[in-house]
Structure formats: C-alpha cells, structure tokens
Amino acid sequence: MIRFEERFLTSAGLFSTVLGFGAMELRGASHRVPRLLDEGVAELLLNTVLDEGIGFIDTSIDYGESEGLIGRHISHRRSEYLLASKVGCPLNHQPDGPSNGPLIHDYSPSNIRAGIEQSLSRLRTDYLDLVQVHIGPSVAVLQRDDVLGTLERAREEGKVRAIGISSTLPNLLDHIDLGVFETFQVPYSALDRDLEDCLPLIRATGAGVIIRGGTARGPLAKRTPDSRADLRLDDLFDGDDLQGFLLRFVMTRAEVSTVIVGTASPEHVRENAKAAARGGLAGDVYAEAQRRLDIAGFRTLDPRK
C-alpha cells in the first residue's frame, strides 16, 4: 500500500489523502448516460482503490448505482476512507433524463433530509464525512431553502461531519464570500485553469479544496485563437505519462486538499496511485509548465472580472 501525503481538508480536523477517487464511473446502466460495469469489476475496482492507499471517495445520488456499489463492496472497510456525497439531487434514478447538462435539483429541507437518509442506506454507513451541496445554487436559493440550516441540523444529529459545496462560476465567488462552507469542490487542471486564482481565495476562508477534472484532456479544444505556439510538455514529464503529469501539476498547488480522479479500471487506479506517490512537480518544472501553458492560451482568469 502506498502511503500518500495527507492534506488539510477541514478546520474541524479532517485530513484527506492527496489522491482521491471519483465514483461517477460506477453509475451503471440506470444512469441517463449509462456506464456498464460488471459487478465483479466494480468490487475489484473499489477494493483496489483502498488497497492502493486512496482514502477519499466522492460520490453522489446523481451517479446512478455508485452509492449502492460502494455500500455493497467496501462498507466493511469503512474505517479506511473518508466518504463524501452530495445533496439537492433527485432521489430516483432518471435514465430518461437529458444526456447533457444537470438534472433539475431540489434544495428544499425535505429533499435534502431524504437524500441524506437514502445515501446513508445505500452506502451502508451511519454517517457521511462530507456532504456537499451539488451544482452550486445561487446564494438566494441557499437562503430561500435554508440549506445551511438543514445541513447543520444533520450534523448535530451525527449524520454528517462536514458541510461543503460543489461550485463553479458564476456563483463561486458568492459562495466563497459567505465564509460558511468547509470544503469547495471545483474544476481545475493544467488545461482548464479558469479557476486557478480562486484557489487562494478559497483557502483564505479556511476551507479545503477538492479538485475534480484534474486530469481532463478535453479542454485542449478551448485553446484561444491567438495561441502562438503548440503546447508541448513531453520533455517535462520525467517518466510520467500525460495523465500522471496533469495529476502532479494539480497536486503542486498548496491549496489543494485532494484531487479526485475517476476511472472504471483497476489498472488505471494503480497507475494514478504510482504517479501521485511521486508528489507535486519540482518548482522549476511547474513554473516552466505554467509559462508554456500561458503562451499556448491556457491562462487563468481574473475571478473578480
């Protein structure tokens, strides 16, 4: 088992392995974007995650069969991982829902309470280490539906340990300014640096930073039209492949608590673990990567503009 660096997650004393596992690839046939996965492969995958020393698992009611698979196959190893899920989601699988864009979410107290109870049952656990408000609703919606009050009561009952939010622009800055969330889950990678300058703003509130999409390659298509050079990073890899390099690039950020990487392949889990065990990039390599990314059009945005 790899002994990963553990990083600050919440001011209440939760620490996470710097590499986490995103369980959306376990969504199964009942999801509106099906991902077929044999039950035996799912069992092997989840146990490989824990065997490799990965101690943070992120799931959601929205992820189809994900919670149920986690409950069936690794609930007996519950002490080995932090478990994060999400609230505001529709409670039933919606295989006929739209394939693009989020489902309609309901942040009412009754739906949030029912969602927590359902997650606890499916995950076969008495508590969630982290519950996250999904899809980053506006502050007006959070206040209208007393979302924080509902989650605080669940925490007082011992059903959740920490309260976070999954967010992005345009509402992210308002969520940061509230100063009430213990964690923020945001999209960020070397090829999608829009929120890079938001990371210090999040940590300044005392909140942990959970990164999703940290190894995403799709944003290559977002390169700006005035790019002055082809993006070449190969000579910086130092034995990594592209996936490993992108993972280590994100890990280099001191603000990052954990990077959740999703896969349906046990072998990919092992490859990610091997790359993450090397730690973040050397300072000069990271600076050079940033320089080349800037030239190629992968630049951070000013979050206040």
Side-chain angles (χ1 to χ4, degrees):
M1 177 189 294
I2 295 172
R3 296 292 181 184
F4 291 109
E5 174 189 359
E6 291 199 347
R7 295 188 180 182
F8 161 95
L9 184 66
T10 74
S11 57
L14 291 182
F15 286 78
S16 171
T17 54
V18 68
L19 178 62
F21 177 70
M24 187 174 182
E25 293 302 309
L26 297 174
R27 59 189 180 271
S30 65
H31 194 269
R32 58 204 170 102
V33 185
R35 177 68 165 91
L36 302 181
L37 194 65
D38 181 81
E39 184 92 11
V41 174
E43 180 179 10
L44 175 61
L45 174 70
L46 287 165
N47 280 280
T48 299
V49 166
L50 300 184
D51 291 345
E52 289 295 317
I54 298 168
F56 183 92
I57 296 178
D58 176 81
T59 185
S60 173
I61 297 170
D62 280 347
Y63 299 169
E65 299 166 29
S66 173
E67 288 186 326
L69 288 167
I70 292 168
R72 289 197 295 278
H73 296 305
I74 57 171
S75 59
H76 65 288
R77 302 178 66 175
R78 182 67 178 87
S79 63
E80 298 179 41
Y81 56 96
L82 296 181
L83 183 55
S85 196
K86 304 180 181 75
V87 294
C89 315
L91 300 184
N92 299 315
H93 298 321
Q94 298 195 19
D96 297 325
S99 59
N100 295 316
L103 298 170
I104 296 174
H105 280 54
D106 175 2
Y107 302 98
S108 66
S110 60
N111 190 62
I112 287 178
R113 286 195 298 268
I116 291 173
E117 294 296 338
Q118 178 173 277
S119 292
L120 293 174
S121 176
R122 288 178 173 173
L123 292 161
R124 302 188 186 184
T125 184
D126 295 328
Y127 66 95
L128 297 170
D129 294 287
L130 174 64
V131 65
Q132 302 159 97
V133 182
H134 206 194
I135 314 293
S138 68
V139 170
V141 170
L142 292 174
Q143 294 173 339
R144 181 197 69 196
D145 290 346
D146 190 29
V147 172
L148 271 298
T150 303
L151 295 177
E152 286 287 359
R153 287 186 284 276
R155 177 158 57 186
E156 291 168 2
E157 295 166 3
K159 294 177 180 179
V160 303
R161 297 176 69 189
I163 297 167
I165 190 166
S166 179
S167 183
T168 190
L169 299 174
N171 294 324
L172 175 59
L173 295 178
D174 291 337
H175 295 151
I176 294 171
D177 288 342
L178 282 177
V180 297
F181 291 108
E182 296 171 89
T183 67
F184 284 79
Q185 184 177 141
V186 296
Y188 172 67
S189 80
L191 305 178
D192 186 5
R193 297 171 64 203
D194 289 358
L195 302 185
E196 188 168 276
D197 286 347
C198 291
L199 304 183
L201 300 178
I202 293 172
R203 276 305 294 270
T205 71
V209 177
I210 301 166
I211 297 299
R212 65 179 184 268
T215 61
R217 307 177 192 186
L220 280 166
K222 293 176 60 177
R223 189 179 308 175
T224 56
D226 63 345
S227 294
R228 290 170 286 166
D230 291 331
L231 178 62
R232 293 190 178 89
L233 299 171
D234 307 41
D235 59 309
L236 303 179
F237 285 4
D238 186 28
D240 288 319
D241 59 12
L242 176 59
Q243 174 112 344
F245 181 83
L246 293 176
L247 174 58
R248 295 180 65 210
F249 179 93
V250 175
M251 289 173 53
T252 307
R253 300 289 309 193
E255 304 94 341
V256 171
S257 303
T258 188
V259 187
I260 53 174
V261 183
T263 178
S265 165
E267 181 57 33
H268 289 165
V269 169
R270 289 187 281 268
E271 291 171 359
N272 292 335
K274 183 178 179 180
R278 302 186 67 191
L281 302 175
D284 59 338
V285 175
Y286 180 71
E288 176 61 16
Q290 283 190 309
R291 187 188 71 82
R292 296 185 196 182
L293 290 162
D294 285 343
I295 291 173
F298 298 101
R299 306 181 183 94
T300 186
L301 301 177
D302 184 336
R304 297 294 180 183
K305 288 187 179 179

